[in-house]
Structure formats: structure tokens, C-alpha cells
Amino acid sequence: MTTLPPNPPAIILVRPQLGMNIGAVARAMLNFGLTDLRLVQPRDGWPNPEAGPSAAGADSVIEQARVFDSLADAIADCSLTLGTAMTTRDMIRRVVSPAGAVAEMQALPSRSAIVFGPERTGLTREDLLHCHALCTIPSNPDFGSLNLAQAVAVLGYAWVIGHEAPPPSAMVNHDGPASQAELAGLIAAFDARLAENGFYNPAPGLEDSARRMLTNIFTRPAFTQAEVQFLRGVVRSLAEPRKPQ
Amino acid sequence: MTTLPPNPPAIILVRPQLGMNIGAVARAMLNFGLTDLRLVQPRDGWPNPEAGPSAAGADSVIEQARVFDSLADAIADCSLTLGTAMTTRDMIRRVVSPAGAVAEMQALPSRSAIVFGPERTGLTREDLLHCHALCTIPSNPDFGSLNLAQAVAVLGYAWVIGHEAPPPSAMVNHDGPASQAELAGLIAAFDARLAENGFYNPAPGLEDSARRMLTNIFTRPAFTQAEVQFLRGVVRSLAEPRKPQ
């Protein structure tokens, strides 16, 4: 009898296209004890009647699925977000195997998330900005594109067998990692002060590019809550008028 | 870059129902470097135009798929046959995990096979008679039935990551294991002699039951080719008239 590990990750589908695939994902999730399905801008809206048949009885997952306007909103309560992608699209991110991803998630007392992109195109560079690391399923170099629900099944299987593996070496972090909402708050604080200070180049497009770089820089390391608070103090301090010495 | 292990197993679908699922299986296979698809009595015949779209480019697997009249025919060249099932259906068989199955297959120089049953019902007891061991994917005890192609994807993933694991302890077998055809020959030899000798009870149904037991007994252990030859000698000897001493 299989024992399901506690505290399973959320499965986040970004701009999923076919309701049938969302149902197949729900089935694969429940097969491996995953129940928290989150949808970001599903193409055909939600609920979608085409999801039911392929869910094949995983109705509870379908019924409890939540819809979000943005990936940032969907991961607000998560402190580890892993994007599934075959390549890093030239970004600086750690790349972990499914087993490595599972080991990290199972060492974490807080909520984690695995993010999957649209069926046809996968996650964009913009989506991956919000991910702390990329999880790549090892596959045929000449035919590597997995069906969405099959990829979820592989990660679900890795989740269930992972707890039998010895615990990985891990950073000791007594504070607990910062949630994505805390990080987003830090980034917004930087952003506000920088905008006030005229940091952003007013040329069209460059402001967005600078904002993406800010998100990218602060999403990469595993900040603790205390570190995020400290950095917010740094922002405040830098933006205050200097006191005479 | 993923390196695909050599000598991948055949994937055998017994009485598959939906062409769409056969295509999805082909895609999952090629994702993980499996190319030898065998179909036993596909419900809607073969080729099946509904397989193409869900194969999503794995056309080579579809085109090279072979059709067999019986599971026994499909596994004739295989020396290790693993049936996927959630329970043993009261049979005496070893049960292996996907990782354990992969370790056994990768330690074997000859061909192995993984057998999947029809979508709705899975493999029957009759099908499982032909399997040396049962492979069970660990899953939610309350929702354990996997979609066919998702189960193939999980075993394909286990196949690809398996070669990174340390080699299992294994029986040293310099002869190489007997193929299923050799075993079938042995069973047929027993069967013929037993029939001649009036061993089988003529009551309806009991003869089939005795034949199933014979298949079951000889499919379970990992006989070498030499052992199979020896046992055929035993059959001949027992059936010969005794010589005066």
C-alpha cells in the first residue's frame, strides 16, 4: 500500500488550451495524491465541460480548481516555484531533475508549486521569470516534447517515490523561506522608489525591460523572510534624505 | 543532454480500445526512447486513423507497430515479461516497482517486454499467466487507476532515469535466460505427454484449468536455456517405457 507524502505541491497550468487536457491533468494529479490545481487564464474559460470526462472520476480536483489572472497571483502563497521547461531560454536559473525538485519540495514545510505552460508553446521567458528553478524531465533529445498530462503524471510519480529517497543535503533555514507575495512586495517597493527617483529610462520598452530584470534578480535566490524584511529596510533607507552626520 | 539507455523493452498493449490512446502511447514511448510497440488484438483493428493525431509526431512508432493474435505470440522473443497491474489477482508472482523493473531489464542483454491491459479493465488473470512478474506503479490507494498513456510515460521516465541508479544485485546467469518461446516449447512438451498419459481430467473446464496451472508454474521462475533443455529431457525420460535394469 502506497503512502502518499504530506504537503503536496500545487500544480499550476498557465494558459491551458484544451479542457480535455485539464481533465487529464486532474486525473494524473489525484493518481499521485496531488489535489491543488490552479489555472492561469485558461483559454476557454472555467469551468469547462470538456474537462469532466478525461478527469475520469477526479471530480474533486476539478471542482476545487482555482482560476487566477496572472502567474504572480497564482504563486503568491508559494515559497518555491518550479517551472517545467526543456531549455532555460538563456536565463540564469538552476535546473533540477524531477527527483531533485521533489527532494527540495519535500524538505520544505511551506507550499511549493510546479508550473506548466500551454500545450503548444510551453512557458514563456516572462512566465519563467517567476520561477525559482527550472525542472526538466529527462527525455529523448530528438523527441522531447511531452503531452501535458503525461508530464504531470511523471512529476506525480516522482513526488510519490521521492519520499523513499534519502533526504538531500539542504540549506538550514530556521526562518522559513519567504513567500512569493513577500518577494513581490519587496520588488514593488524597489520599483516604486526607483520610479520616484527617475531611475527608469523613459524610452518606450526600456522601463518594462528594467522591471523584468528586477523580478528576475530577486526571484533567483532563496531569500528568507528576514532577508526580505532587511532588503525592504535597505530600500527605505536609500530613498530617505541623508541625515547630517 | 539525456543519454537514452540501450536495448529498450517492447511495449505491448493487450486488446487496446481507443486509437487515440494508442497514439498517445506511441508519443510517450518515443519521448523516452522506446520504439517497439506491439498490439495484441486491438479492438478497432490496425492501422487505426485515430492514432495519428495523438501520436503528435511519433509516426515512426505507429508505422513500425506490429499486431499479434495472442500475448503468447507477442512475447515469443522476450526473456523477461512484466505485466502492469494494481493487484496480483491472487496469483503467485513477484511484484516489482517501476525502478526495480527497470533495473532488471537493464541488467538483461536480451529483449524484455512491459505489458499493459485494456483501458477499462486492465490485464486479466489469463494475461498475467504469461508475465514473469507484476510491475505496480505506486499511486493513491483511493484513486489508483492510471490513464494508459500516462502509465507508459511513467515507466518510460523510470526507464530513462534508471540507468543512473547503481546496478542491482542480480543472479549471475552465464547461459542467458530462456526466451518465452523456449518456455512455451517446454510447456507444450509437458502438455503433450500429459495428454497422452490421460493426466487431464476429462470433466469440462478442468483440462483448461490444469493447462493454466502448467503455464503458471513454468512462467514464474527465471529458467535458463540449459534448465529448459534439461526439463524437456526429463519429460521425454518420464514418458519413455522403463528399461529393464
Side-chain angles (χ1 to χ4, degrees), chain A residues 28 30-31 139-140 143 145 150, chain B residues 27 30-31 139-140 143 150:
Chain A
L30 194 56
N31 281 151
S139 62
N140 187 344
F143 192 76
S145 172
Q150 291 177 15
Chain B
R27 178 181 183 176
L30 194 55
N31 282 150
S139 61
N140 187 345
F143 192 75
Q150 291 176 16

Side-chain angles (χ1 to χ4, degrees), chain B residues 30 59 78 94 106 131 210 218 242:
Chain B
L30 194 55
D59 301 330
C78 299
R94 286 187 306 124
Q106 294 185 353
C131 301
F218 285 109
R242 295 194 182 189

Side-chain angles (χ1 to χ4, degrees), chain B:
Chain B
M1 184 73 100
T2 302
T3 305
L4 299 172
N7 192 26
I11 298 295
I12 302 181
L13 306 185
V14 175
R15 299 181 300 282
Q17 300 174 293
L18 296 175
M20 189 182 77
N21 285 343
I22 300 174
V25 165
R27 178 181 183 176
M29 286 175 62
L30 194 55
N31 282 150
F32 298 106
L34 311 178
T35 54
D36 184 353
L37 175 60
R38 307 181 183 188
L39 308 173
V40 177
Q41 298 175 14
R43 188 190 67 184
D44 299 335
W46 191 257
N48 183 333
E50 290 178 24
S54 58
D59 301 330
S60 59
V61 176
I62 294 288
E63 284 159 15
Q64 292 164 32
R66 284 179 288 164
V67 179
F68 295 87
D69 287 336
S70 71
L71 177 55
D73 290 344
I75 61 176
D77 64 332
C78 299
S79 49
L80 175 64
T81 301
L82 299 165
T84 53
M86 294 176 61
T87 69
T88 62
R89 298 186 190 258
D90 302 322
M91 294 171 71
I92 299 176
R93 280 290 188 279
R94 286 187 306 124
V95 175
V96 296
S97 68
V102 164
E104 289 189 34
M105 293 189 291
Q106 294 185 353
L108 205 66
S110 46
R111 180 54 54 109
S112 52
I114 311 177
V115 185
F116 297 82
E119 289 91 325
R120 196 175 296 269
T121 54
L123 293 169
T124 63
R125 205 170 182 290
E126 198 74 29
D127 298 324
L128 291 173
L129 279 178
H130 298 280
C131 301
H132 297 99
L134 304 184
C135 179
T136 300
I137 296 174
S139 61
N140 187 345
D142 297 326
F143 192 75
S145 173
L146 270 73
N147 166 276
L148 176 58
Q150 291 176 16
V152 171
V154 165
L155 282 162
Y157 166 71
W159 171 256
V160 169
I161 66 166
H163 74 297
E164 294 166 12
S169 67
M171 285 225 284
V172 176
N173 183 345
H174 294 295
D175 283 343
S179 73
Q180 197 62 32
E182 290 169 301
L183 267 185
L186 172 65
I187 292 166
F190 262 107
D191 184 60
R193 298 288 181 174
L194 290 172
E196 268 175 42
N197 290 4
F199 172 83
Y200 291 121
N201 189 316
L206 284 182
E207 180 168 341
D208 279 354
S209 151
R211 287 200 153 103
R212 275 201 298 276
M213 180 166 292
L214 197 64
T215 304
N216 197 15
I217 287 169
F218 285 109
T219 306
R220 205 181 317 154
F223 286 128
T224 66
Q225 295 173 315
E227 287 165 344
V228 169
Q229 287 307 314
F230 174 81
L231 283 167
R232 292 194 67 154
V234 169
V235 179
R236 275 194 302 277
S237 165
L238 287 175
E240 278 169 9
R242 295 194 182 189
K243 290 171 185 151
Q245 297 194 329

Side-chain angles (χ1 to χ4, degrees), chain A residues 136-221:
Chain A
T136 300
I137 296 175
S139 62
N140 187 344
D142 297 326
F143 192 76
S145 172
L146 270 73
N147 166 277
L148 176 58
Q150 291 177 15
V152 171
V154 165
L155 283 163
Y157 166 70
W159 171 256
V160 168
I161 66 166
H163 74 295
E164 294 165 14
S169 67
M171 285 223 283
V172 176
N173 182 344
H174 294 295
D175 283 345
S179 73
Q180 198 62 31
E182 289 169 301
L183 267 185
L186 171 65
I187 291 166
F190 263 105
D191 184 61
R193 297 288 179 174
L194 291 171
E196 268 176 41
N197 289 4
F199 172 83
Y200 292 122
N201 188 317
L206 285 182
E207 178 167 340
D208 278 354
S209 153
R211 288 202 152 103
R212 274 201 297 275
M213 180 166 293
L214 197 65
T215 304
N216 197 16
I217 287 170
F218 285 109
T219 306
R220 207 181 314 153

